[in-house]
């Protein structure tokens, strides 16, 4: 969107502001000479009104300039943040593996502010104060070329002194950076919970949430801008009224003999008025350099490649047959293969559990199915389709996730259950909560399904969060289910409820279970034992125990503990 017309209005305001500086200094010559020396009654009556008029004009021009430049600034900030956030939603998992959430949030808040400051505030100072200095210097040369030349020799020394003092004050004073709570919260939730956003198709919902808090932040800031833009010229105008009165009283007949002639007073006034714009001009270089560095950071981030979605095929409802053919994978940040030539068939409607020590490749193998990582070797098939040939949205519609670390958003219980649905059915949400054995505690909450759960569901117990996650999966009703040790670290009562809910959930679904406690997967149709990125054993619980191999060792270790 172009803002040139508003920028030109702001520049016009800057020009008027710059013109009032030498105009104010110039008034002192006729005021002093006409009032104090010549005692001209017309000048005496007119001068206070002219001074007041200049400050009123300056106040109006200042408001116009500040308001429109800040309006443009906030629009730039809003658009940059929207671009960053939308880019975040579609970045690959490999980016999140190596990225720092703090640095991402810093780009969203600090870097964007620095770019805007360099593009608008520094530009305002450059235009307005350069014109002001030119006007004041021109007036000083008009009054006295010799004195003006002397000032030009002394001026840089004064400017350096002002710069040094200003830097010292900046070092002593702590810079307070105001939080942008809503923007940071939604962004951080999306960064931390990117798997749920991707698999449950929550990009549109997150963008809507972000647009709301981003627009709210802009509006609140503009209220502050209006207040600041009005307060400064009002204070100046009040001061001008007092100055007008003092000048008028000072030009009374009995006071005229004690004052210096107007030319000298006007020159000194112009010289004093040069100090603030010189000070501001000497300080904007650092702001411009910070803005350039911040811009490089932001646009470097926006150049990060998004997830490749080259698929063209869609599946309405998958049957659930999964096949891994010679799949190998190495993380971008790693050196050893996380998966090494994995081949595996999973029949639709069956429950397959993956077990093994930490780092054996269980989670990596399952994460490849929804294409959280795409740069693997080999082929993964779903119902006879290479998953690379499927559109990402279509593929991920077929998959639900219930993990050990439950992801909940700072929203209502209902919206957490219906995450990814644009217009969820209330009755369907209730039925899903009932099937997940969650309705019994939800109905006891102050607002039932409309109760806010707090950031990451901190207002709920571990078991309650798990059951809401199960209800979310039940509502999605996807044919493929991923369970990442959904009952670990829970008390016996919570585990009983959740296991009952899971038994209901896995019916007629292809279920992939990442298991740490072997007691929870004894009834699985197939157990896949992994070690160092390879499949070392497969079979049922009883078959594997009979082989007296890796599985037996793992089972005996847990049983002994």
């Amino acid at each position: 969107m172009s803002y040139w017309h508003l920028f030109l209005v702001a520049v016009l305001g800057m020009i008027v502001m710059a013109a009032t500086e030498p105009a104010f200094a110039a008034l002192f010559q006729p005021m002093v000479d006409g009032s104090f020396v010549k005692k001209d009654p017309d000048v005496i009556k007119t001068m206070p009104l002219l001074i007041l008029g200049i400050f009123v004009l300056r106040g109006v021009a200042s408001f116009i300039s500040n308001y429109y430049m800040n309006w443009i600034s906030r629009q730039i900030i809003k658009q940059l943040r929207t671009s960053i956030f939308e880019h975040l939603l579609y970045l690959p998992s490999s980016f999140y593996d190596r990225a720092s959430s703090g640095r991402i949030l810093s780009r969203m808040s600090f870097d964007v502010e620095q770019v805007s400051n360099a593009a608008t505030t520094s530009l305002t100072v450059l235009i307005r104060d350069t014109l002001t200095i030119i006007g004041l210097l021109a007036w000083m040369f008009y009054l006295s070329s010799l004195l003006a030349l002397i000032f030009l020799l002394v001026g840089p020394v004064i400017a350096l002194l002002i710069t040094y003092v200003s830097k010292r004050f900046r070092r002593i004073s702590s810079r307070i950076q105001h939080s942008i709570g809503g923007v940071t919260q939604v962004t951080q939730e999306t960064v931390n919970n990117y798997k749920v956003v991707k698999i449950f198709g929550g990009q549109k919902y997150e963008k809507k949430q972000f647009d709301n808090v981003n627009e709210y932040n802009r509006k609140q800031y503009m209220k502050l801008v209006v207040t600041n833009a009005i307060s400064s010229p009002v204070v100046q105008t009040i001061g001008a009224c007092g100055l007008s009165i003092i000048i008028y009283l000072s030009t009374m007949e009995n006071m005229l003999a004690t004052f210096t002639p107007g030319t000298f007073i006007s020159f000194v006034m112009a010289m004093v008025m040069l100090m603030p714009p010189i000070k501001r001009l000497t300080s904007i270089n650092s702001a411009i350099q910070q803005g350039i560095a911040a811009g490089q950071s932001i646009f470097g981030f926006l150049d990060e490649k998004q997830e490749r979605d080259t698929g063209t095929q869609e599946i309405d409802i998958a049957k659930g047959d999964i096949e891994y053919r010679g799949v190998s994978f190495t993380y971008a940040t790693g050196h050893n293969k996380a998966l090494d030539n994995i081949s595996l068939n999973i029949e639709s409607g069956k429950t397959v559990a993956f077990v093994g020590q930490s780092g054996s490749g269980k989670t990596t193998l399952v994460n490849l199915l929804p294409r959280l990582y795409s740069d693997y070797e080999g082929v993964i098939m779903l119902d006879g389709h290479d998953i690379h040939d499927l559109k990402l949205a279509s593929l991920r519609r077929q998959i639900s996730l219930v993990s050990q670390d439950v992801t909940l958003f700072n929203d209502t219980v209902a919206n957490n259950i219906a995450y990814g649905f644009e217009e969820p059915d209330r009755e369907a949400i209730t039925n899903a909560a009932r099937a997940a054995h969650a309705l019994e505690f939800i109905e006891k909450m102050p607002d039932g399904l409309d109760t806010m759960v707090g950031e990451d569901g901190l207002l709920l117990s571990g078991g309650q969060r798990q059951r809401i996650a199960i209800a979310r999966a039940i509502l999605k009703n996807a044919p493929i289910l991923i369970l990442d040790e959904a009952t670990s670290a829970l008390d016996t009562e919570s585990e009983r409820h959740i296991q009952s809910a899971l038994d209901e959930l896995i019916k007629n679904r292809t279920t992939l279970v990442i298991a740490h406690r072997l007691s929870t997967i004894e009834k699985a149709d197939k157990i896949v034992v992994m070690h160092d990125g390879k499949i070392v054993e497969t079979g049922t619980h009883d078959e594997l125990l009979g082989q007296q191999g890796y599985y037996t060792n793992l089972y005996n270790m847990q049983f002994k503990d």
Side-chain angles (χ1 to χ4, degrees), residues 155-455:
V157 178
I158 298 173
L160 288 174
L161 179 62
I162 292 172
T163 302
Y164 171 77
V165 173
S166 298
K167 288 182 178 179
R168 181 168 178 81
F169 273 124
R170 282 197 298 271
R171 285 196 299 268
I172 296 173
S173 303
S174 60
R175 296 182 62 184
I176 302 174
Q177 185 170 344
H178 298 284
S179 65
I180 50 170
V183 174
T184 304
Q185 176 184 304
V186 176
T187 305
Q188 190 166 20
E189 285 186 342
T190 301
V191 171
N192 293 340
N193 306 320
Y194 70 93
K195 289 184 181 179
V196 174
V197 174
K198 291 175 181 295
I199 292 176
F200 285 87
Q203 285 93 340
K204 288 185 179 179
Y205 177 81
E206 292 301 329
K207 183 181 182 303
K208 181 180 178 181
Q209 292 287 92
F210 182 82
D211 286 343
N212 290 338
V213 296
N214 200 16
E215 177 65 11
Y216 177 79
N217 173 258
R218 186 191 70 84
K219 288 181 178 179
Q220 296 306 306
Y221 193 91
M222 288 310 303
K223 291 180 181 179
L224 178 65
V225 168
V226 171
T227 303
N228 288 337
I230 292 176
S231 62
S232 180
V234 166
V235 171
Q236 289 183 354
T237 304
I238 294 172
C241 292
L243 180 60
S244 299
I245 295 172
I246 291 172
I247 291 174
Y248 180 78
L249 294 176
S250 299
T251 54
M252 301 301 290
E253 186 174 354
N254 60 341
M255 299 286 291
L256 292 178
T258 62
F259 284 88
T260 310
T263 299
F264 180 75
I265 294 295
S266 182
F267 183 91
V268 171
M269 179 61 66
M271 184 177 65
V272 171
M273 294 174 70
L274 270 172
M275 293 300 102
I278 289 175
K279 174 183 175 182
R280 289 191 292 268
L281 280 175
T282 56
S283 64
I284 64 169
N285 182 57
S286 60
I288 291 174
Q289 295 304 318
Q290 288 175 347
I292 292 173
Q296 290 174 338
S297 172
I298 289 172
F299 292 109
F301 167 78
L302 293 176
D303 287 338
E304 290 278 353
K305 292 183 179 179
Q306 295 186 344
E307 284 184 309
R308 295 197 303 269
D309 189 5
T310 56
T312 57
Q313 301 177 20
E314 292 198 25
I315 297 178
D316 185 18
I317 299 177
K319 182 181 176 184
D321 287 318
I322 301 169
E323 182 181 0
Y324 290 81
R325 295 180 186 171
V327 174
S328 297
F329 177 75
T330 303
Y331 285 100
T333 55
H335 301 288
N336 299 324
K337 287 186 176 181
L339 297 175
D340 188 3
N341 196 29
I342 298 292
S343 294
L344 176 67
N345 280 308
I346 301 174
E347 297 179 16
S348 63
K350 300 296 184 179
T351 298
V352 177
F354 298 87
V355 301
Q357 296 177 339
S358 297
S360 60
K362 307 183 298 293
T363 301
T364 302
L365 183 64
V366 173
N367 282 342
L368 294 185
L369 181 60
R371 279 173 56 190
L372 295 178
Y373 299 92
S374 296
D375 50 345
Y376 57 83
E377 299 175 11
V379 179
I380 301 176
M381 307 291 288
L382 174 60
D383 291 354
H385 301 278
D386 186 333
I387 61 172
H388 279 294
D389 295 334
L390 300 175
K391 292 182 179 179
L392 271 176
S394 177
L395 171 64
R396 291 170 179 169
R397 272 201 308 269
Q398 316 305 320
I399 303 170
S400 283
L401 169 69
V402 180
S403 64
Q404 176 182 349
D405 300 319
V406 176
T407 296
L408 296 181
F409 299 88
N410 189 21
D411 209 330
T412 64
V413 173
N415 286 340
N416 270 284
I417 293 175
Y419 187 78
F421 286 81
E422 293 186 18
E423 295 181 3
D425 178 76
R426 188 76 169 189
E427 184 178 354
I429 295 173
T430 303
N431 291 336
R434 182 180 292 108
H437 295 252
L439 197 60
E440 56 190 65
F441 72 82
I442 292 174
E443 290 178 337
K444 296 178 182 178
M445 291 180 169
D447 299 312
L449 286 169
D450 297 317
T451 302
M452 298 293 291
V453 301
E455 184 176 352

Side-chain angles (χ1 to χ4, degrees), residues 83-155:
S83 297
I84 292 172
F85 189 82
E86 289 180 353
H87 199 64
L88 273 175
L89 292 173
Y90 297 98
L91 285 173
S93 300
S94 56
F95 170 82
Y96 292 95
D97 291 339
R98 55 185 168 82
S100 162
S101 60
R103 188 68 193 96
I104 294 172
L105 296 179
S106 176
R107 286 192 185 98
M108 180 70 74
S109 55
F110 182 74
D111 288 356
V112 168
E113 294 282 355
Q114 294 298 306
V115 170
S116 175
N117 184 57
T120 55
T121 305
S122 298
L123 186 61
T124 299
V125 171
L126 189 64
I127 295 174
R128 184 191 63 207
D129 289 343
T130 299
L131 293 174
T132 299
I133 290 172
I134 292 172
L136 288 171
L137 284 175
W139 177 247
M140 290 167 66
F141 272 96
Y142 174 79
L143 294 177
S144 173
S145 299
L146 179 61
L147 289 177
L149 287 172
I150 293 173
F151 172 79
L152 288 179
L153 294 175
V154 179

